Amino acid sequence: MTLTGSGSAYDPPAGAAPRRPAAPSPAREHGPPRRLDRRVALVTGASSGIGAATARRFAMDGWHLLLSGRDRRRLEQTASGTTAVVLPADLAAPDGPRLLAQSALHTTGRVDVLVAGAGIGWAGPFAAMPHTDIDRVLALDLNATLHLVREVLPSMIAAGRGRVVLLGSAAGCVGVREEAVYSAAKAALAAFSQALRRELRGTGVGVTLVVAGPVDTPFHARRGRPQDRSRRRQIPPGRVAAAVWEAVREDRDQVYVPAWLALPDRLRALAPRMSGRLLNRWG
């Protein structure tokens, strides 16, 4: 079994050896950051998949975009036809989140919405999972996200407005067998979103958790075991992007894609034994 990307910023191009990108550098070497009248969204994991689809959806409404990922070429493809600024970064590196936040704020002077979409997965029995892969999944899916939010959040609080969007997963709600560490990371993000939302009450800054089922991105094909399409229909990434957009537009705290995913989450709380039996059969 192998560690693989979610079609996210973390992945190198197919067939290419992993490479460590240079730290993001500010777009301007001197002078104050450029102030924009348009709203600004920083999207991580924008190389492909959900992140790329989300960037395109925000661009349709005239937002100014800051796109981050490890692969500059694929970021430039996402940015094509827009005014987006490409900020390659390795969020799993110790200083990755801090350097990206500094570069983003230097480029535009503010971030109105942060869409934290970078992530990786690993499929297989937990007892066989290498220790290094445990660390890598947690480093990107959880630690890097928290550190990036920590770096961007003070500017939002100071401005009295903003929204943090965290890409969760149904795996974080119910737990998926042979995806134990990925499920743990997404469950932690869900708890983090609830705690941070309460902490930020009254500041003008909101927190949204987007809980999605299996999405039709390179994530499943490259994680070591393809998704079983006969049992789980995959969601187009554009559908998740539309849900992110609507959540930001309507200041929603939590959304499920598809909407029926809220049912197993509630069933787990109300009838854990029944939920467990269903998951043993279908999860």
Side-chain angles (χ1 to χ4, degrees):
M1 298 301 177
T2 58
L3 180 93
T4 60
S6 60
S8 73
Y10 194 81
D11 297 320
R19 54 189 177 85
R20 187 185 185 87
S25 57
R28 292 157 57 104
E29 293 292 337
H30 305 287
R34 181 161 53 102
R35 299 288 173 174
L36 298 174
D37 294 331
R38 290 183 295 163
R39 292 164 294 180
V40 178
L42 170 59
V43 182
T44 67
S47 302
S48 63
I50 296 172
T54 298
R56 296 186 187 105
R57 180 61 188 86
F58 274 72
M60 287 172 58
D61 201 59
W63 284 60
H64 184 74
L65 297 171
L66 305 173
L67 306 182
S68 185
R70 281 171 52 97
D71 191 308
R72 178 181 289 275
R73 180 184 60 83
R74 289 197 293 179
L75 286 175
E76 290 173 345
Q77 291 175 351
T78 301
S80 178
T82 75
T83 60
V85 175
V86 169
L87 300 175
D90 182 359
L91 291 178
D95 286 338
R98 179 180 61 82
L99 293 172
L100 174 58
Q102 288 180 352
S103 186
L105 292 171
H106 186 92
T107 300
T108 57
R110 72 176 194 270
V111 172
D112 298 303
V113 170
L114 166 63
V115 181
I120 51 176
W122 194 94
F126 178 68
M129 187 174 186
H131 292 280
T132 53
D133 288 344
I134 294 174
D135 292 341
R136 292 179 67 189
V137 171
L138 292 176
L140 186 62
D141 291 9
L142 181 59
N143 293 355
T145 299
L146 267 59
H147 283 292
L148 182 59
V149 173
R150 171 62 183 82
E151 294 290 342
V152 173
L153 194 59
S155 65
M156 291 184 175
I157 295 174
R161 66 178 184 274
R163 180 158 292 271
V164 173
V165 180
L166 304 173
L167 291 186
S169 170
C173 298
V174 297
V176 176
R177 63 172 172 256
E178 297 196 353
E179 293 185 46
V181 177
Y182 177 77
S183 296
K186 293 301 184 180
L189 277 185
F192 172 68
S193 72
Q194 294 175 0
L196 186 61
R197 187 179 303 122
R198 295 188 180 102
E199 183 176 326
L200 294 175
R201 188 173 299 163
T203 66
V205 181
V207 180
T208 297
L209 178 69
V210 178
V211 180
V215 183
D216 188 10
T217 72
F219 177 87
H220 297 288
R222 297 201 301 254
R223 66 178 183 160
R225 184 183 63 206
Q227 181 71 36
D228 185 350
R229 291 174 182 266
S230 66
R231 297 179 66 176
R232 297 180 187 175
R233 181 177 299 176
Q234 293 186 324
I235 307 162
R239 186 173 176 184
V240 182
V244 171
W245 163 248
E246 290 294 332
V248 170
R249 188 171 67 89
E250 299 176 2
D251 294 328
R252 299 181 63 182
D253 292 338
Q254 185 159 319
V255 294
Y256 293 85
V257 189
W260 64 260
L261 278 180
L263 297 177
D265 196 11
R266 293 167 184 166
L267 180 63
R268 179 176 59 92
L270 297 174
R273 290 187 178 180
M274 180 182 296
S275 174
R277 288 196 294 269
L278 291 174
L279 286 172
N280 286 336
R281 181 176 180 181
W282 301 105

